[in-house]
Amino acid sequence: MRAVHFGAGNIGRGFVGLILHRAGFEVTFVDVNAELIGMLQSADAYQVREVGREARIHTVTGFSGIDSSADPEAAARAVAEADVVTCAVGPSAMRFIAPAIRAGLEQREGAPVVVMACENAIGASDTLREHVLDGAPELADRAVFANTAVDRIIPPQDPHGLDVVVEDFFEWSIDRAAFERGGIAAPEIGDAHFVDDLEPYIERKLFTVNTGHATTAYAGWVAGAGTIAAALELPEIRAAVEAALTDTSRLLVAKHGFDEAEHAAYVARAIARFENPALPDTCERIGRQPLRKLSRHERFVEPAAQLVDRGESADALVAAFGTALRFDAPGDEQALELQELLRSLDPAAFVARVTGLEAEHPLTARLVEVVREARAR
């Protein structure tokens, strides 16, 4: 079995690539980082070391690498011959890998290829499908795009090596219904979890892990805490994180029927994962790309909007949104753009531009007030 994975970074090697290898796939990593691809092409194996409650070491073999910027034809051929295509490049970068996937589908013969975007975004595979089939709808029957929910914390690594240190927790949930609609069998991936309704798992992860991580990062940045773990040592930040996750927990339990005690344990485990001393991470790195994280269907606005639509309070999420507005890391382009928008737009225009919320939505007025307060600082 052959798999092609776009994005040979830490998540690609330490999460998706590892799971595909364990499932028996020969994995071809595709990336534009020539140095990284060169290392993969020269190596016979790399190691993934899990740290946490259970320490384990996995050795990954049977892989290859393609530099798609230097050899786009090879990337297309790999897609044409693959059984599974995955990606972990970031939601905003999926449009850049779409041409290679499209070119591969044009060459493809036989059964459809399974395509799964392993990104921190709702409906990422649907978005990738739109990019790939843009201008080429006739290729639709050559691929089955299945949405997924993925979860594994991987901190920054040595950029000059292939080995990866990861947490011992991971979750990869895949929409089973996509294969039923496409008329093909789901791939055999033993470490993945195939579900009939993906939305609960996507929202549980996004509104717990991503919301909690980002809340910690922005509050920690404002407080001058260097790391996520250090931020959570401050009582006021821990309280803010717990309050935000109390908001999202009310939504998730009511909407999806999660057992209240089991979900509370999931939340507690998420916070413990943030504090893992073997996986130090910085508030600046976790907070990067704030404009994406403050957008309509992301970790703050989406759960807050859903709560307000239900007639419930979202005070802690609104407060976390306000804290995020103070993220001004000099090395992050979106952070700089965020601060420029705060200075140049009036609060209502800012909320419309950044969040995409409708002016008449009941959450909009709350966010406008928060932006007004941020501008007054």
Side-chain angles (χ1 to χ4, degrees):
M1 296 185 295
R2 299 181 181 180
V4 173
H5 178 78
F6 286 84
N10 300 327
I11 295 174
R13 301 193 315 280
F15 181 15
V16 184
L18 169 63
I19 291 178
L20 291 172
H21 165 75
R22 284 168 54 85
F25 287 88
E26 295 181 8
V27 181
T28 297
F29 291 100
V30 180
D31 206 296
V32 295
N33 184 326
E35 179 184 358
L36 180 55
I37 291 299
M39 288 191 289
L40 285 165
Q41 291 171 339
S42 301
D44 295 322
Y46 68 85
Q47 290 189 332
V48 178
R49 182 163 64 91
E50 295 183 350
V51 295
R53 297 178 182 177
E54 299 181 25
R56 291 172 291 191
I57 296 178
H58 305 276
T59 299
V60 179
T61 58
F63 55 82
S64 57
I66 296 173
D67 179 352
S68 55
S69 62
D71 195 352
E73 292 82 7
R77 284 196 304 272
V79 170
E81 298 170 357
D83 300 291
V84 169
V85 173
T86 56
C87 72
V89 295
S92 60
M94 289 193 296
R95 65 184 185 276
F96 298 119
I97 67 172
I101 299 175
R102 185 187 307 119
L105 295 185
E106 289 171 347
Q107 301 175 27
R108 189 169 185 85
E109 299 177 356
V113 62
V114 174
V115 182
M116 297 180 287
C118 304
E119 310 287 356
N120 280 325
I122 295 173
S125 296
D126 289 340
T127 302
L128 179 58
R129 183 181 189 275
E130 293 175 3
H131 290 312
V132 170
L133 299 182
D134 183 24
E138 69 279 4
L139 300 177
D141 61 352
R142 300 189 186 184
V144 171
F145 290 80
N147 285 313
T148 76
V150 293
D151 187 7
R152 170 163 259 180
I153 295 174
I154 303 179
Q157 312 277 320
D158 176 5
H160 303 297
L162 294 177
D163 295 345
V164 190
V165 177
V166 303
E167 67 168 331
D168 59 348
F169 177 93
F170 71 87
E171 189 171 62
W172 186 3
S173 300
I174 302 173
D175 179 18
R176 183 186 289 115
F179 305 103
E180 296 173 357
R181 292 192 299 269
I184 65 171
E188 295 185 6
I189 303 175
D191 291 322
H193 180 44
F194 290 84
V195 298
D196 293 318
D197 183 3
L198 189 64
E199 184 181 26
Y201 298 92
I202 291 178
E203 292 198 338
R204 183 182 65 169
K205 189 267 178 175
L206 183 60
F207 300 164
T208 304
V209 178
N210 295 89
T211 300
H213 224 179
T215 301
T216 306
Y218 294 131
W221 173 265
V222 172
T227 67
I228 295 294
L232 284 169
E233 291 178 356
L234 300 174
E236 65 275 18
I237 292 181
R238 180 175 287 272
V241 173
E242 290 176 346
L245 296 185
T246 296
D247 276 359
T248 60
S249 294
R250 290 200 325 275
L251 172 65
L252 292 165
V253 169
K255 180 179 179 181
H256 298 302
F258 289 120
D259 178 84
E260 201 164 341
E262 290 179 0
H263 183 70
Y266 179 86
V267 171
R269 178 71 195 275
I271 294 175
R273 292 165 60 197
F274 303 159
E275 297 176 299
N276 188 337
L279 295 170
D281 215 334
T282 66
C283 295
E284 180 173 355
R285 193 185 83 88
I286 298 301
R288 66 188 180 184
Q289 295 187 324
L291 289 175
R292 176 172 66 84
K293 292 168 182 174
L294 294 173
S295 63
R296 176 64 177 88
H297 299 295
E298 270 284 345
R299 58 208 73 191
F300 296 121
V301 176
E302 181 64 27
Q306 290 192 36
L307 280 167
V308 171
D309 284 339
R310 289 170 169 262
E312 297 192 37
S313 166
D315 290 348
L317 288 170
V318 170
F321 180 95
T323 302
L325 298 179
R326 301 175 65 182
F327 185 70
D328 58 355
D332 187 279
E333 290 184 6
Q334 285 196 15
L336 299 178
E337 184 180 354
L338 170 66
Q339 298 309 313
E340 175 58 30
L341 291 173
L342 271 175
R343 288 189 294 268
S344 62
L345 298 178
D346 67 74
F350 178 92
V351 170
R353 169 81 171 270
V354 172
T355 74
L357 271 173
E358 306 85 356
E360 63 275 11
H361 194 282
L363 180 62
T364 299
R366 295 287 313 282
L367 297 184
V368 168
E369 182 58 33
V370 168
V371 173
R372 184 173 289 111
E373 292 171 358
R375 285 166 53 91
R377 288 192 182 96

